[in-house]
Amino acid sequence: MTRFNWTCESTDGNARAGTLHTAHGPVATPTFMPVGTVGTVKAMTMDAVRSTGAGIVLGNTYHLMLRPGAERVRQLGGLHKFMDWSGPILTDSGGFQVMSLGALRKLDQDGVTFKSHIDGSTHRLTPESSTDIQHALDATITMCFDECPALPAPPEIIAKSMRLSMRWAARSREAFVHREGYGQFGIVQGGTETDLRAESVKALTDIGFEGYAIGGLAVGEGQELMFATLDTTVPLMPQNAPRYLMGVGTPDDLLGSVMRGVDMFDCVMPTRAGRTARAYTERGTLNLRNARHAGDARPISPHCDCLACSRHSRAYLHHLFRANEILGPMLLTWHNIAYYQRLMRQIRQAILEGRLETLATQLRAEWAAEDWTEDEMPQPVIPSVP
């Protein structure tokens, strides 16, 4: 059985290339985790997700607790079998819903009482029950149950919230069932307050976890302040453990965060964008609903071998969205996840070769450039369909 650990293979400045070893297989880092909140990456089959090169996906404790229920998933063989994903799965603890569903919950020192957004029924989550649910789901990586306020917020509110999360982290750790190849991550909180982030890191490292996440960012503070917070927080975190920045973000967010020492990411942006006709590319973001694509026979990107790019034109995708055909969101979501995975592979290779700064300059210049001209658009290689 594989021991859960992270090994560093190379560094370039603060950036790290490594491998996360788990009971459900290895994951090359830096890595982006497609979000499969309720046991599915929206609009994608798991074969499609696998074809993009994704090594790990994310599920959500709160949503799976409500429907279909953790015990039912356990009886059906666990989340891996249930959703047809044999690789590692990280489950969010439900802590984000403490913030995002604020009108439907009541917070106290012991945990949170929720009113279901589905049917209004009442449910209770505590550090112990969240950890137990993630165990029933058979999550490869279990997240501590935490609480974070939306930013901006007064320092005293952030401090109170962070210290509550640290008490919950200790209780989550106590409830965690240690198994070979499985891990639990503590979550650093403290808003954008340097001293509170440092206090949080110390509290979590004193408890001891297999990995450490940075929570409470990308919640309204802006990229500049997020990066400044990473600049002061990441150097305090353990060197020999994976670092996970939760809920981030755009391609430029990922690049800047990797350059500051972050190894793991998740975000709904690429899937949500795919459902709303927005395509991420090496030349920025395209809106496939725009009329200029109506007669465009070119693929979205000449560098992409996803099904949307290798078999279809921009004109066809434009037509699908204008006709409200479900295939449009499916193809564009596939493309966006493929782009994010290709970007992470590019970044990892640049770290291994010691040329990340050069790549970063190139990527940012390309993101700011105009769309490809006809001369720059060779036909992509047509891959086999998985």
Side-chain angles (χ1 to χ4, degrees):
M1 196 72 172
T2 302
R3 185 173 69 90
F4 187 100
N5 72 318
W6 177 85
T7 56
C8 184
E9 296 165 31
S10 185
T11 60
D12 187 355
N14 292 322
R16 320 186 311 169
T19 301
L20 182 65
H21 305 274
T22 82
H24 296 103
V27 180
T29 65
T31 189
F32 178 83
M33 298 179 282
V35 175
T37 302
V38 295
T40 174
V41 178
K42 288 185 186 298
M44 295 188 77
T45 67
M46 296 318 288
D47 277 344
V49 175
R50 278 185 282 269
S51 78
T52 69
I56 178 172
V57 299
L58 180 145
N60 184 275
T61 297
Y62 168 80
H63 290 282
L64 290 167
M65 170 189 76
L66 294 181
R67 187 172 52 192
E71 183 57 25
R72 176 164 293 171
V73 173
R74 186 194 66 76
Q75 291 172 354
L76 291 168
L79 190 55
H80 296 86
K81 183 177 180 181
F82 191 60
M83 68 185 289
D84 182 33
W85 181 261
S86 61
I89 298 174
L90 180 149
T91 46
D92 189 8
S93 67
F96 180 75
Q97 282 69 42
V98 175
M99 178 185 72
S100 65
L101 301 177
L104 300 175
R105 55 83 169 168
K106 182 177 180 181
L107 174 73
D108 57 56
Q109 292 295 308
D110 185 59
V112 183
T113 301
F114 289 93
K115 184 174 288 188
S116 168
H117 68 285
I118 299 170
D119 60 10
S121 58
T122 300
H123 301 266
R124 179 78 172 163
L125 270 179
T126 66
E128 293 79 10
S129 66
S130 172
T131 305
D132 290 346
I133 290 167
Q134 293 176 80
H135 179 77
L137 296 172
D138 195 32
T140 315
I141 300 175
T142 295
M143 298 303 298
C144 285
F145 190 56
D146 68 337
E147 190 265 336
C148 69
L151 298 180
E156 59 271 19
I157 297 297
I158 296 172
K160 181 179 179 182
S161 170
M162 180 273 290
R163 289 165 186 150
L164 176 62
S165 289
M166 295 308 98
R167 293 193 294 274
W168 285 1
R171 290 168 54 188
S172 295
R173 191 59 170 170
E174 185 67 24
F176 179 68
V177 178
H178 295 268
R179 293 146 289 159
E180 194 76 8
Y182 290 75
Q184 185 182 40
F185 285 18
I187 304 175
V188 179
Q189 291 291 352
T192 57
E193 305 296 322
T194 301
D195 57 335
L196 296 180
R197 286 283 175 180
E199 181 182 334
S200 181
V201 171
K202 184 177 186 309
L204 294 173
T205 53
D206 285 349
I207 297 168
F209 292 90
E210 284 75 32
Y212 297 86
I214 303 161
L217 292 178
V219 289
E221 76 283 356
Q223 188 193 72
E224 183 178 351
L225 193 48
M226 179 182 78
F227 281 168
T229 303
L230 293 179
D231 285 334
T232 57
T233 302
V234 173
L236 304 175
M237 300 171 71
Q239 294 289 316
N240 60 348
R243 303 162 177 161
Y244 162 33
L245 179 56
M246 305 179 74
V248 175
T250 67
D252 191 45
D253 289 337
L254 301 185
L255 175 61
S257 299
V258 168
M259 296 178 79
R260 289 164 170 80
V262 178
D263 309 301
M264 301 172 64
F265 304 88
D266 81 281
C267 191
V268 299
M269 280 187 177
T271 49
R272 184 174 291 166
R275 299 194 302 276
T276 56
R278 289 175 294 132
Y280 286 100
T281 79
E282 295 82 359
R283 295 289 175 91
T285 306
L286 302 177
N287 185 341
L288 271 298
R289 285 189 178 275
N290 286 351
R292 70 185 179 95
H293 300 297
D296 195 336
R298 301 177 301 169
I300 298 169
S301 167
H303 304 295
C304 185
D305 64 359
C306 77
L307 197 63
C309 291
S310 63
R311 302 294 177 91
H312 301 294
S313 65
R314 296 184 185 190
Y316 182 62
L317 293 162
H318 170 82
H319 160 69
L320 292 177
F321 278 98
R322 297 287 289 181
N324 293 319
E325 285 290 338
I326 196 169
L327 183 59
M330 292 173 66
L331 288 171
L332 208 51
T333 299
W334 190 334
H335 166 81
N336 284 342
I337 293 296
Y339 173 70
Y340 267 59
Q341 297 302 330
R342 190 166 66 254
L343 174 64
M344 299 310 288
R345 289 193 294 271
Q346 278 185 283
I347 292 172
R348 174 181 164 81
Q349 191 62 36
I351 296 169
L352 292 171
E353 296 173 2
R355 55 177 182 83
L356 184 57
E357 285 284 355
T358 300
L359 177 66
T361 300
Q362 174 191 331
L363 288 172
R364 286 168 177 152
E366 290 177 346
W367 289 330
E370 296 294 324
D371 194 5
W372 292 276
T373 65
E374 289 288 349
D375 292 341
E376 295 176 308
M377 289 286 283
Q379 289 299 311
V381 175
I382 298 178
S384 59
V385 178

